[in-house]
Amino acid sequence: MGAIALALLGQVWPYLLAGAAAIAGLWTAYGKGKAKNQAKHDAADAAARTEGQKIDDAVAGRAPADNRGRLAKWSRQ
């Protein structure tokens, strides 16, 4: 039984090696794609945080009554 398994393994090892290489290649491509997508989302989040900080800084420099008036005007548009 063991001799048959070894003989069979001797004949199919190139196919097993090629399959393992294909799986490794797919795994690598998946990882690179995932990292690229995460970097894109991180850049978008950073831009949103920067814009939010600009808005917070602008609002903080005005009186609360002025902010309410601007918000009321904006909401009616």
Side-chain angles (χ1 to χ4, degrees), residues 40-64:
K40 187 169 64 172
H41 284 291
D42 289 345
D45 289 346
R49 278 193 303 275
T50 301
E51 187 65 25
Q53 188 62 44
K54 287 179 186 177
I55 292 169
D56 286 344
D57 291 343
V59 169
R62 291 192 295 261

Side-chain angles (χ1 to χ4, degrees), residues 13-39:
W13 74 268
Y15 302 108
L16 294 175
L17 185 62
I23 290 172
L26 288 173
W27 187 271
T28 301
Y30 172 77
K32 286 182 180 180
K34 187 175 178 182
K36 184 179 178 182
N37 193 30
Q38 185 63 42

